[in-house]
Amino acid sequence: MQGYISLIQNNLTHLLKLSLDAGKAILEVYATAFSVELKDDRSPLTLADKRSNEILCKGLIKIGGIPILSEEMKQIPYEERKSWKSFWLVDPLDGTKEFIKRNGEFTVNVALIGGNEPVFGLIYVPVTGKFYYALKGQGSYTFSLSGSNPIPGSFNEIIAASKKLPVEHRPEGEFNIVASRSHISPKTEAYINDEKSKHAVVNIVSAGSSLKFCLVAEGSADAYPRFGPTMEWDTGAGHIIAAETGKKLVRCDTMDMLTYNKPNLLNPDFLVY
């Protein structure tokens, strides 16, 4: 584990700048009348996804020669992946549907997987200039970019300029559930109704992309149920950002922790709480 910690501490500034550059490329496309393609699974793809992926992969390959698994790359067979001790898990533009809707709720996601669990996660929100990041055993943090607040040059300076999560505390008896803005299901509705029987006040907070994990990590929400398809790159970064604030991310069928580098990269239904 110490090896992972040193790797991230030595490269956190580079990782933040890399996600910032990817975010800038996304926003350049966002400001145009971009076109939308459909991938084989019928999910949308834009020039922003492609440009962000190119920037991230070119930058990540320079860090330790660690292999990369990205949504926008040709998928690597499990027979090859199963020997990986660690790898970068990348979603260059999480929330493409939100990007297309132009509601600003899309993110850049980068995680480092060690074994079968995330040991580092970084989420960047291009529209707001806000970063969320976490390193296993070191806590979760948020850092906002501004003209007077550029990316610091060292790990310790970044930590000093950041706020440790959670940052929000709400009234006792109030329970907030964050749900997808683009994905809702009868199972989610059933979960919400069950929680309403347990708490005096239950509020529903809607958000797109990995921002749902960030809301839980911040303390703005208490739980995020996901009954519907997600892939490993959708959850890796958000998983550790929430986990380092004391939250759990478990699969709904067994209540075991969600794991990574599975033969099938599709996640089961899960709950963050």
Side-chain angles (χ1 to χ4, degrees):
M1 183 55 64
Q2 186 57 45
Y4 294 131
I5 293 173
S6 297
L7 178 76
I8 298 304
Q9 288 178 338
N10 292 335
N11 289 281
L12 185 56
T13 296
H14 174 67
L15 288 162
L16 293 176
K17 288 181 177 178
L18 195 58
S19 61
L20 175 63
D21 288 344
K24 287 178 179 177
I26 289 170
L27 291 179
E28 286 174 1
V29 178
Y30 194 55
T32 69
F34 56 84
S35 59
V36 180
E37 304 172 34
L38 288 179
K39 294 187 282 191
D40 291 343
D41 63 359
R42 310 302 294 170
S43 62
L45 176 69
T46 71
L47 181 60
D49 297 80
K50 297 176 183 178
R51 287 185 176 174
S52 177
N53 185 68
E54 182 178 4
I55 290 168
L56 291 170
C57 291
K58 281 185 177 179
L60 289 172
I61 201 67
K62 298 176 183 178
I63 306 177
I66 298 169
I68 300 169
L69 181 62
S70 170
E71 178 180 13
E72 305 309 339
M73 293 171 63
K74 182 179 179 181
Q75 293 312 301
I76 299 164
Y78 180 65
E79 285 303 309
E80 180 179 345
R81 289 190 285 111
K82 69 180 182 181
S83 64
W84 290 356
K85 291 182 172 59
S86 61
F87 64 98
W88 296 108
L89 183 60
V90 177
D91 193 339
L93 175 50
D94 186 30
T96 302
K97 291 182 180 178
E98 314 307 329
F99 178 86
I100 293 168
K101 293 175 185 176
R102 297 182 185 276
N103 66 16
E105 295 182 351
F106 49 87
T107 60
V108 176
N109 296 355
V110 177
L112 179 62
I113 307 298
N116 64 354
E117 64 175 313
V119 295
F120 167 75
L122 169 61
I123 293 174
Y124 176 58
V125 190
V127 168
T128 64
K130 197 168 188 177
F131 296 90
Y132 298 85
Y133 63 94
L135 180 57
K136 189 170 179 63
Q138 307 294 307
S140 293
Y141 299 84
T142 184
F143 170 77
S144 293
L145 195 66
S146 69
S148 60
N149 196 25
I151 296 174
S154 73
F155 178 79
N156 288 337
E157 289 173 339
I158 293 168
I159 294 293
S162 303
K163 293 180 180 178
K164 191 167 185 179
L165 300 175
V167 294
E168 186 170 326
H169 303 280
R170 289 171 293 96
E172 188 175 347
E174 183 179 293
F175 193 82
N176 284 4
I177 300 171
V178 61
S180 173
R181 193 175 294 284
S182 295
H183 308 274
I184 195 76
S185 70
K187 286 184 178 179
T188 304
E189 293 176 354
Y191 173 83
I192 292 169
N193 289 333
D194 184 55
E195 291 302 323
K196 285 182 177 178
S197 69
K198 302 175 184 176
H199 303 278
V201 178
V202 172
N203 301 311
I204 309 304
V205 183
S206 293
S209 71
S210 59
L211 285 170
K212 295 181 286 295
F213 290 98
C214 299
L215 292 177
V216 174
E218 283 181 333
S220 302
D222 298 285
Y224 164 34
R226 181 55 187 258
F227 301 101
T230 60
M231 303 298 288
E232 290 189 8
W233 44 73
D234 295 314
T235 60
H239 182 155
I240 188 167
I241 289 170
E244 282 295 311
T245 67
K247 296 292 184 177
K248 296 180 181 179
L249 195 157
V250 297
R251 50 187 300 160
C252 293
D253 53 355
T254 63
M255 298 303 285
D256 293 327
M257 187 183 81
L258 200 66
T259 58
Y260 293 82
N261 203 20
K262 304 183 297 294
N264 185 343
L265 297 169
L266 183 70
N267 290 323
D269 294 345
F270 65 83
L271 175 65
V272 185
Y273 69 102

